Amino acid sequence: MNKQTETFMAELPVAPSSWTEVGLARPHESAVLHVLGEATYTDDIPEVQGTLHAALGLSSKAHAHILAMNLDAVKSSRGVVAVYTAKDIPGTNDCGPIVHDDPILSEGLVEYVGQPIFVVVADSHDNARRAARKADISYQELPAILTPQEAKKAQSFVIPPMRLQRGDAQQAFEKSAHRVKGELYVGGQEQFYLEGQISYAIPKEDNGMLVYCSTQHPTEMQHVVAHALNVHSHNIVVECRRMGGGFGGKESQSALWAALAAISASHLKRPVKLRADRDDDMLVTGKRHCFHYEYECGYDDTGLIVAAKVEMVTRAGFSADLSAPVATRAVCHFDNTYYLADVDIIAMCGKTNTQSNTAFRGFGGPQGAIAIEYIIDEIARNLGQDALDIRKINFYGRNEAEGRNVTQYGQKVVDNVIHELVAELEASSEYRARRAAAIAFNASSPVLKKGLALTPLKFGIAFNVTHFNQAGALVHVYTDGSVLVNHGGTEMGQGINTKVCQVVAHELGIPLKMVRATATDTSKVANTSATAASTGADLNGKAAQDAAHTIRQRLAEFAVKTYGGDVASVIFADGLIHVNNHAIAFEKMVNKAYLSRVQLWSDGFYATPGLHWDPKTMSGNPFSYFAYGASVSEVIVDTLTGEWKLLRADALYDAGQSLNPAIDIGQVEGAFIQGMGWLTTEELWWNPGGKLMTHAPSTYKIPAISDCPEDFRVKLFTNRNVQDSIHRSKAVGEPPLLLPFSVFFAIRDAVASVASYQFNPPLNAPATSETILRAVDAVSAMANAA
């Protein structure tokens, strides 16, 4: 946005207060299509004549050299047209987003069970899958590393370890009155999008390729396909109208599927669709990183933290993928809502012979924050205090005058509302009365135990990598007054298109029904960033607003030229343009402008200001602002079976001035249940041979409707973003995933009541029934030994 446009925007009058198209609870732009089954996903696109179908041949070993590979039975299988291996890739055999260590197809070394070795193309999806299983491959097995603990012991890392220090933690430890020390393991999580990985590649003339892909990052897919085919990016068009869920799993890891569909289509000069069945999808793709922590914390008699040290090691998998920025965000979110004066944080990305783990909603933030919450929970129990009181003592200061408002990486916290937000939730949830009631219940109930916890969150909004914080958009106004908008964000059910359309409608002063969003397309908006890091609406909303405003300026100038008055007094509202005591219908003015050869389309661009980050010193200003929230959860646990139920959940989330409260509340609800699944039921398990055994809905338990609490109270906190975000709103994609920390700590609270809250239960996540029972037994043993 240039200075002239900025000045014009500052001077232009706002629409009458009685009219707006932002801040309203509007339905999702595809809601009716979703309900009727008419929303077009990649697999719903009508197939071009001659379309073929592909399937992958996968490794059965976790770590091995391929000694011999006989694919004769594959090639002779029914319906098979072609089989391709690494040697058939015309260009670069790599789909790694940062470090180029992730082959599209194995070149002789396999590093996890499920790694693609070849692709088979057949006349049908079923024939391709059947053929892929007929390969005869012999291996020379090598030692395999499967856990982050093993990786740390072997010093096996995909990138060098990173470290962030502030103050002198060791000296602070020596002066602290109390110390707590321990270990924690938090498991990973499958994205489990309803629509699996899929790409449909259609060859075009002159080495062109159109790739329909279910992806959060069309531009990255464009780059990977171009490199794999050894052509320029302008030969490749990637399009995505919508995804049936992404959650990070389609940010970088859709590249493998896009590349292999395109490679096959390029060889055969025929369209090729590569659709993953759920088992193959879960075997091949990466998940949320699991973390193992070794922590130590010093604190005084009041529970104030004076020193903290943590070593975090993740299961990165066999390649780097996005592990470095995930670990960076974990380091930057270890503080959560707490000021840590003297701190020492080490993060290691363990190289393991498992799927290469990748982005997942929260992107390391939840894994960083849960460690400090676990520590505070222990401090409170050690002091015989309510954990909420210990949390409050350690909160960041409200403002610079209070101090305690600079993060461990050097960014000032200038928008802290956690004190007010938690106070509001504490009162509305009746936390103190329910805490007393739970204690009374547990005193008279030997088997069933209730637990209660209130946990806060602070989450930084922006990409860790500064240059990703940019977006573009196109807005077209047609002569009938209808508007078409295209932007670089991708729709995965989160409502980005709805919000962007609201922004454009508001800017032009027209009803929302007059604005339509089209598919994300690399030939329309170039060099886009991934729809990730909770920045989708922030970046693309601003870019679309910029484009719409340019058109609005042209129309205002034309209106003044036609009807008199001055530009500063022109108002766009309710489908009308008010100028010099005239009220002209928007479409009428647009038509007049067209006849006078006024340009009615424009591009827009936005780059988030004020961001900088030094990865060497792990310091800077990586986030545009922080989103805040808190939740209270009450559970009941059967200490004989480990079964539990969430009785009630109260959540309060800071969405700033929400662009669409209905969509934002839905996102909070969904994130809460998804995060609850991560911390309680969703357990990834590999057998000793390195095969993921939880690779289907039959063996992997995501939360169902029966797991949702009957009493679920979600509200948006009344606030206004201090930063100039789009209409002063705040992101709502990832931060709410931290809200269900309260479920995990409520379970831990219930288990602690078995021994009258005297001991800290050694509870890891996910807190499955088996894990809960082990924690109950451990607490009982501590009580008996005391």
Side-chain angles (χ1 to χ4, degrees):
M1 192 185 300
N2 57 41
K3 284 190 175 181
Q4 182 180 0
T5 304
E6 286 179 344
T7 302
F8 182 82
M9 290 181 74
E11 294 175 351
L12 205 64
V14 297
S17 58
S18 60
W19 186 89
T20 184
E21 275 297 351
V22 295
L24 301 178
R26 299 298 197 194
H28 191 286
E29 49 92 24
S30 295
V32 173
L33 299 179
H34 290 155
V35 172
L36 296 178
E38 295 178 0
T40 301
Y41 295 89
T42 303
D43 204 29
D44 299 320
I45 296 169
E47 293 177 2
V48 177
Q49 185 176 1
T51 293
L52 299 170
H53 299 265
L56 304 182
L58 308 177
S59 167
S60 62
K61 303 298 180 183
H63 194 200
H65 289 296
I66 296 175
L67 297 178
M69 183 164 55
N70 186 341
L71 300 179
D72 291 344
V74 179
K75 294 174 182 177
S76 62
S77 187
R78 177 187 299 174
V80 170
V81 176
V83 179
Y84 301 113
T85 60
K87 64 181 177 58
D88 299 306
I89 297 175
T92 306
N93 182 20
D94 177 76
C95 57
I98 301 174
V99 181
H100 300 301
D101 60 348
D102 199 338
I104 297 168
L105 293 174
S106 167
E107 294 183 325
L109 175 68
V110 293
E111 297 191 82
Y112 72 98
V113 175
Q115 183 171 358
I117 299 173
F118 63 90
V119 58
V120 54
V121 186
D123 60 358
S124 73
H125 174 79
D126 287 346
N127 282 341
R129 287 200 79 212
R130 290 190 185 99
R133 282 148 176 74
K134 295 181 179 180
D136 181 12
I137 303 175
S138 57
Y139 302 89
Q140 178 188 8
E141 292 196 59
L142 301 169
I145 294 173
L146 300 179
T147 69
Q149 297 95 314
E150 291 172 9
K152 180 181 176 181
K153 185 177 180 180
Q155 293 292 287
S156 171
F157 305 122
V158 294
I159 58 164
M162 54 186 72
R163 188 172 193 173
L164 188 158
Q165 293 176 288
R166 176 165 70 175
D168 189 336
Q170 192 55 45
Q171 187 179 53
F173 271 121
E174 293 171 1
K175 295 180 179 179
S176 63
H178 309 279
R179 290 198 199 186
V180 61
K181 186 176 183 180
E183 295 185 32
L184 172 65
Y185 177 84
V186 176
Q189 185 180 21
E190 167 64 37
Q191 288 87 358
F192 219 95
Y193 24 67
L194 292 181
E195 176 203 33
Q197 298 280 3
I198 181 171
S199 287
Y200 183 26
I202 302 174
K204 297 293 182 178
E205 65 179 25
D206 196 22
N207 293 319
M209 187 70 67
L210 170 61
V211 182
Y212 294 103
C213 184
S214 183
T215 181
Q216 296 171 234
H217 201 346
T219 291
E220 177 70 13
M221 302 309 102
Q222 181 188 33
H223 293 166
V224 170
V225 170
H227 293 153
L229 297 182
N230 197 26
V231 298
H232 290 296
S233 290
H234 67 203
N235 291 77
I236 311 300
V237 175
V238 177
E239 180 178 316
C240 178
R241 172 60 185 91
R242 60 173 60 84
M243 288 164 276
F247 308 116
K250 295 176 181 174
E251 180 176 346
S252 65
Q253 299 220 345
S254 48
L256 172 76
W257 315 88
L260 287 173
I263 290 165
S264 301
S266 178
H267 276 296
L268 295 168
K269 304 303 178 189
R270 292 175 64 179
V272 174
K273 180 186 289 186
L274 176 54
R275 172 170 62 84
D277 282 73
R278 183 66 63 179
D279 291 84
D280 288 350
D281 193 326
M282 293 181 73
L283 277 173
V284 173
T285 61
K287 297 90 176 61
R288 182 189 296 281
H289 293 70
C290 71
F291 272 60
H292 181 261
Y293 312 82
E294 294 180 68
Y295 60 85
E296 186 174 5
C297 186
Y299 56 98
D300 66 16
D301 291 336
T302 69
L304 183 71
I305 294 172
V306 297
K309 180 178 180 181
V310 64
E311 288 191 6
M312 305 183 277
V313 58
T314 78
R315 180 191 276 121
F318 82 99
S319 69
D321 196 82
L322 297 172
S323 292
V326 166
T328 300
R329 187 167 280 269
V331 168
C332 290
H333 283 74
F334 174 66
D335 58 323
N336 197 19
T337 56
Y338 313 113
Y339 177 74
L340 304 175
D342 295 270
V343 65
D344 186 358
I345 309 169
I346 298 174
M348 296 161 277
C349 299
K351 179 178 172 66
T352 56
N353 295 111
T354 53
Q355 294 80 358
S356 187
N357 284 328
T358 189
F360 195 130
R361 196 175 191 175
F363 202 77
Q367 293 100 310
I370 197 170
I372 195 68
E373 292 297 340
Y374 198 86
I375 290 168
I376 282 185
D377 196 56
E378 301 225 317
I379 292 172
R381 210 165 280 114
N382 289 347
L383 293 175
Q385 300 292 321
D386 191 309
L388 175 57
D389 295 324
I390 304 302
R391 289 185 167 97
K392 287 181 174 181
I393 287 170
N394 286 285
F395 279 164
Y396 274 102
R398 289 181 177 86
N399 50 53
E400 195 163 351
E402 284 189 15
R404 293 173 55 86
N405 73 321
V406 180
T407 67
Q408 67 270 22
Y409 46 90
Q411 180 166 348
K412 286 186 178 179
V413 180
V414 298
D415 58 354
N416 188 11
V417 295
I418 197 62
H419 297 264
E420 296 82 359
L421 190 151
V422 166
E424 180 178 326
L425 181 65
E426 180 183 352
S428 66
S429 68
E430 302 173 298
Y431 175 81
R432 299 293 177 177
R434 290 167 62 199
R435 160 63 65 194
I439 292 172
F441 175 89
N442 292 337
S444 60
S445 177
V447 174
L448 299 179
K449 299 291 185 180
K450 286 187 176 181
L452 189 73
L454 189 157
T455 57
L457 74 89
K458 173 180 68 68
F459 196 94
I461 304 299
F463 283 97
N464 294 83
V465 181
T466 302
H467 69 262
F468 287 161
N469 296 284
Q470 59 176 300
L474 289 173
V475 173
H476 294 177
V477 177
Y478 296 99
T479 54
D480 64 353
S482 63
V483 177
L484 197 67
V485 58
N486 186 276
H487 58 88
T490 54
E491 175 65 55
M492 62 194 91
Q494 85 280 33
I496 185 174
N497 284 340
T498 309
K499 289 183 174 181
V500 170
C501 286
Q502 285 180 273
V503 167
V504 170
H506 184 83
E507 193 67 23
L508 295 176
I510 59 178
L512 180 59
K513 66 181 180 181
M514 296 302 293
V515 184
R516 183 170 181 264
T518 58
T520 313
D521 182 335
T522 57
S523 68
K524 292 179 180 172
V525 177
N527 309 321
T528 59
S529 297
T531 305
S534 303
T535 61
D538 282 8
L539 294 175
N540 295 284
K542 277 282 196 180
Q545 183 187 48
D546 183 35
H549 185 79
T550 300
I551 299 169
R552 172 174 165 156
Q553 179 177 6
R554 292 174 188 152
L555 288 173
E557 291 170 350
F558 173 74
V560 168
K561 183 178 179 182
T562 306
Y563 294 97
D566 61 277
V567 170
S569 65
V570 179
I571 293 176
F572 291 68
D574 203 19
L576 299 172
I577 298 177
H578 301 266
V579 53
N580 198 24
N581 296 319
H582 294 272
I584 301 95
F586 180 80
E587 62 270 22
K588 184 177 179 180
M589 185 71 78
V590 164
N591 205 266
K592 283 178 176 289
Y594 166 73
L595 294 175
S596 296
R597 298 186 293 181
V598 174
Q599 184 179 336
L600 296 172
W601 63 270
S602 179
D603 63 321
F605 182 76
Y606 179 72
T608 311
L611 302 178
H612 58 90
W613 176 252
D614 185 342
K616 293 181 180 178
T617 61
M618 299 204 75
S619 63
N621 204 78
F623 305 121
S624 176
Y625 60 86
F626 297 100
Y628 300 88
S631 70
V632 177
S633 291
E634 182 177 358
V635 303
I636 188 165
V637 174
D638 186 330
T639 58
L640 296 182
T641 65
E643 293 179 278
W644 65 278
K645 186 173 181 60
L646 178 57
L647 301 174
R648 173 179 164 183
D650 297 61
L652 184 60
Y653 181 72
D654 167 30
Q657 290 186 169
S658 171
L659 291 174
N660 188 318
I663 283 178
D664 286 350
I665 287 174
Q667 286 294 291
V668 173
E669 291 172 342
F672 188 98
I673 299 302
Q674 187 173 51
M676 183 181 77
W678 164 51
L679 293 172
T680 60
T681 65
E682 299 183 43
E683 185 173 28
L684 296 165
W685 182 71
W686 288 260
N687 71 14
K691 181 178 180 180
L692 178 69
M693 303 304 291
T694 48
H695 56 80
S698 58
T699 54
Y700 185 81
K701 181 174 174 18
I702 64 170
I705 189 67
S706 60
D707 296 301
C708 298
E710 291 184 12
D711 194 348
F712 197 9
R713 310 182 190 191
V714 176
K715 287 181 62 180
L716 299 181
F717 181 66
T718 302
N719 193 24
R720 186 173 187 267
N721 198 344
V722 298
Q723 296 298 325
D724 183 25
S725 59
I726 185 68
H727 290 285
R728 301 288 177 169
S729 63
K730 287 190 177 183
V732 74
E734 294 174 292
L737 198 130
L738 282 68
L739 291 171
F741 283 3
S742 61
V743 176
F744 178 81
F745 290 106
I747 293 172
R748 198 177 189 218
D749 181 57
V751 174
S753 73
V754 169
S756 302
Y757 307 98
Q758 296 301 304
F759 305 98
N760 284 308
L763 186 68
N764 291 321
T768 61
S769 294
E770 295 88 345
T771 303
I772 291 171
L773 276 180
R774 284 194 291 269
V776 168
D777 290 343
V779 168
S780 298
M782 294 178 198
N784 291 333

